[in-house]
Amino acid sequence: MNKKNIYLFYAIALFQGMVFYGPIATLYRQSRGVGIFQITLIESISLALCLALEIPWGFVADKIGYKKTILICNLLYFVSKIVFWKANGFAMFLVERLMLSVVMSGLSGCDSAFLYVSAGKEDAPRVFGIYSAMGTAGLLAASAVFSLFLHGNYALSALLTIFSYGISFVLTLFSTEVENNVENSKNFYQQMKELLSVLKSGRQFLLFLIAAALLTECNQTITTFLNQLQYVRGGIKPELMGYIYILVTVTGLFAARSHKLVEKMGENRVSKAVFLTGGAACLMMVFFANPILSVACMVLLRISSAVFVPIQMNVQNRKITTANRATMLSIYSIVMDLVAVGTNLVFGKAADSGVNLAMLLGAGFCFAALALYCTWQRKGGKESAIRTASQSD
């Protein structure tokens, strides 16, 4: 285990989670001359670029090394926050988001692969859990600072975010490269042909990826965008939503305890439980608009997703048998992003007809994810599952 790398990446995740303008990100853009439609258009263009760059970035990471790739991405991350701070109008915010697309597609899979190799197979689940929780802790700290001290100062919130990302870049410099054992004599097309062949031979794993994407997107869409509509439906005043945001965010720290749940209940049972819990939370919000119940259901949905993230990262890394770990993880990410494009469009259409319909859709997605996961387990998941007495059903 490379403890130095692990602790550095915990700190990096913490500082990159400190997006001080997070609670007012949409309002910030509107104050700088960007409308809601333009914001969604920028997001769509950004996602398209992410999909286009996923595999090439994974190939580059396997070629030049994970540390160099992460270093480049974290530098661009830092610069993108400066652009965001100075942005005014559609064009500049588009540039900022395109830079972020390059960063996210570069980091996608690479940070996971770096941590997996640094931690080792046995400790990876615990490390992934803490890593995910540190990002949540950073977001929580930034949200608290914004609510208590910044008092709606948009420019200052963006400026402070620049400093937190600058620190994360500096910390990356002190990390140590890990061995990825990639055979560099093969060109991009040869390696892509082999990797796609591996994906095709293990196509049953697509069921797991789709299930993971459905739960992730339900959490992201409902607890980030549709939550406010549900709160208004329940009569919650807007001035209270900032504190509710902090409450829901802090539950993401449960990711750090995910490995403990897996040790006690088994990976299979925990995974089924999070899909079921997420679906039940969405279903409750279809029929009840009670403010306390709505907040409780948002918390349950966020916890479900937080607990599953380390499991997902570990299963994906455990599944890979080729040396090109970052490239393979990028391929997995593309599959999940494609699912996200579809769910986002359907969620948006449903929300136009009523938030309760969108919640019903969320419940359907979570229960569909449960069915897909169970099917994957029956057909191929057991081959890669960690064998423990507590896992047997």
Side-chain angles (χ1 to χ4, degrees), residues 180-195:
N180 58 9
N181 298 314
V182 175
E183 187 177 339
N184 291 318
S185 61
K186 298 179 181 178
N187 62 37
F188 176 78
Y189 297 104
Q190 286 177 319
Q191 292 193 25
M192 280 307 305
K193 185 177 179 181
E194 291 182 11
L195 291 171

Side-chain angles (χ1 to χ4, degrees), residues 260-270 273 390-391 393:
K260 290 294 184 181
L261 281 175
V262 170
E263 288 174 4
K264 292 180 179 180
M265 298 173 57
E267 184 179 275
N268 190 25
R269 286 196 182 97
V270 172
S390 61
Q391 273 185 284
D393 289 329

Side-chain angles (χ1 to χ4, degrees), residues 28 30 89 120 204 240 256 277 289 299 309 319 329 371:
Y28 183 97
Q30 286 180 312
Q204 291 171 348
L240 297 176
T277 302
V299 167
V309 167
K319 182 71 176 177
L329 287 169

Side-chain angles (χ1 to χ4, degrees), residues 51-372:
L51 290 171
L53 294 177
E54 276 283 359
I55 295 178
W57 251 130
F59 176 79
V60 170
D62 284 326
K63 280 285 187 179
I64 69 174
Y66 299 150
K67 176 185 173 177
K68 290 180 181 177
T69 302
I70 296 170
L71 190 63
I72 293 169
C73 290
N74 282 348
L75 175 60
L76 287 175
Y77 226 161
F78 170 57
V79 175
S80 75
K81 297 307 175 186
I82 299 176
V83 175
F84 184 89
W85 176 53
K86 301 295 291 185
N88 198 349
F90 177 84
M92 285 300 292
F93 277 105
L94 176 61
V95 170
E96 179 267 337
R97 199 64 189 178
L98 292 180
M99 291 179 67
L100 195 58
S101 298
V102 175
V103 171
M104 298 311 295
S105 56
L107 289 178
S108 175
C110 191
D111 57 348
S112 172
F114 186 90
L115 275 176
Y116 187 82
V117 177
S118 295
K121 183 178 180 180
E122 296 299 322
D123 291 311
R126 178 181 59 84
V127 170
F128 284 147
I130 298 174
Y131 179 66
S132 178
M134 292 300 284
T136 301
L139 179 59
L140 177 63
S143 300
V145 169
F146 178 85
S147 300
L148 298 174
F149 303 109
L150 298 186
H151 305 297
N153 191 325
Y154 293 3
L156 182 57
S157 66
L159 180 61
L160 288 176
T161 304
I162 293 175
F163 288 111
S164 64
Y165 275 74
I167 293 172
S168 70
F169 167 67
V170 172
L171 289 173
T172 311
L173 294 171
F174 296 98
S175 62
T176 306
E177 184 61 275
V178 296
E179 181 63 49
N180 58 9
N181 298 314
V182 175
E183 187 177 339
N184 291 318
S185 61
K186 298 179 181 178
N187 62 37
F188 176 78
Y189 297 104
Q190 286 177 319
Q191 292 193 25
M192 280 307 305
K193 185 177 179 181
E194 291 182 11
L195 291 171
L196 290 174
S197 176
V198 171
L199 182 63
K200 183 178 179 181
S201 64
R203 56 186 176 274
Q204 291 171 348
F205 190 59
L206 292 175
L207 298 175
F208 175 86
L209 295 177
I210 295 172
L214 288 174
L215 178 64
T216 299
E217 292 309 309
C218 280
N219 168 65
Q220 173 66 17
T221 304
I222 292 175
T223 65
T224 304
F225 301 109
L226 301 182
N227 56 346
Q228 295 156 52
L229 300 179
Q230 177 70 13
Y231 297 154
V232 170
R233 180 180 169 220
I236 297 176
K237 296 179 180 179
E239 52 264 33
L240 297 176
M241 292 182 187
Y243 295 101
I244 296 173
Y245 179 82
I246 293 174
L247 173 64
V248 175
T249 299
V250 74
T251 59
L253 295 172
F254 274 88
R257 310 304 296 172
S258 176
H259 69 286
K260 290 294 184 181
L261 281 175
V262 170
E263 288 174 4
K264 292 180 179 180
M265 298 173 57
E267 184 179 275
N268 190 25
R269 286 196 182 97
V270 172
S271 299
K272 290 177 180 178
V274 298
F275 292 127
L276 189 61
T277 302
C282 293
L283 198 59
M284 289 290 287
M285 288 188 285
V286 173
F287 300 106
F288 302 102
N290 179 276
I292 296 177
L293 183 61
S294 294
V295 173
C297 288
M298 291 293 176
V299 167
L300 283 175
L301 181 56
R302 178 61 68 90
I303 289 175
S304 298
S305 179
V307 168
F308 189 68
V309 167
I311 295 174
Q312 172 195 322
M313 294 172 71
N314 190 46
V315 169
Q316 286 179 337
N317 275 279
R318 198 171 66 218
K319 182 71 176 177
I320 298 171
T321 56
T322 67
N324 304 74
R325 184 171 299 277
T327 307
M328 202 68 213
L329 287 169
S330 291
I331 293 175
Y332 292 162
S333 183
I334 286 178
V335 173
M336 296 179 68
D337 284 345
L338 288 172
V339 175
V341 171
T343 58
N344 287 339
L345 292 173
V346 178
F347 263 127
K349 189 67 175 178
D352 283 340
S353 301
V355 66
N356 57 333
L357 182 59
M359 295 301 176
L360 181 61
L361 183 66
F365 282 153
C366 287
F367 293 139
L370 174 61
L372 289 169

